[in-house]
Amino acid sequence: MGLPRLGLIPRALLGLLSDDYPGVRLAAAEGDRRLKGAEALAPLVELAFAYQGMHAEEVAGLLRDLDRDGASARLLATLRDSGQQRRWRCGHRTY
């Protein structure tokens, strides 16, 4: 996440929220938030739940800065959706 911290976000990072590397995913999330604004809300919410919640804390900060109320509504809708299966990592076990 060094480039976003310096205020440098290459456009090439946009859309790489599913990259193999966690650092690239987080840099892409920051880039999407800064460059896409409200358009980034849905993909960032998805990223918060992806990868067994690996990026949940970082993405929560991005969502808070982007649109706190909109993000809360989307997160709650996902949690209420019985078709969604949340998996949280707890040590070596997944719930």
Side-chain angles (χ1 to χ4, degrees), residues 11 14 28-45 62-63 65-67 74:
R11 290 195 181 272
L14 296 178
E30 174 66 20
D32 281 6
R33 180 190 66 85
R34 286 189 187 187
L35 297 174
K36 293 183 179 179
E39 249 183 80
L41 190 61
L44 290 179
V45 169
L62 295 175
L63 290 169
D65 294 341
L66 180 63
D67 178 1
R74 284 187 178 269

Side-chain angles (χ1 to χ4, degrees), residues 40-92:
L41 190 61
L44 290 179
V45 169
E46 276 188 43
L47 181 60
F49 287 101
Y51 304 98
Q52 299 172 333
M54 172 187 261
H55 304 300
E57 288 183 37
E58 293 92 344
V59 172
L62 295 175
L63 290 169
R64 181 187 62 238
D65 294 341
L66 180 63
D67 178 1
R68 182 181 304 212
D69 294 334
S72 294
R74 284 187 178 269
L75 289 166
L76 288 173
T78 301
L79 292 172
R80 289 182 182 129
D81 183 355
S82 61
Q84 294 280 343
Q85 289 187 359
R86 291 184 306 131
R87 298 179 69 174
W88 297 99
R89 189 166 46 196
C90 180
H92 65 281

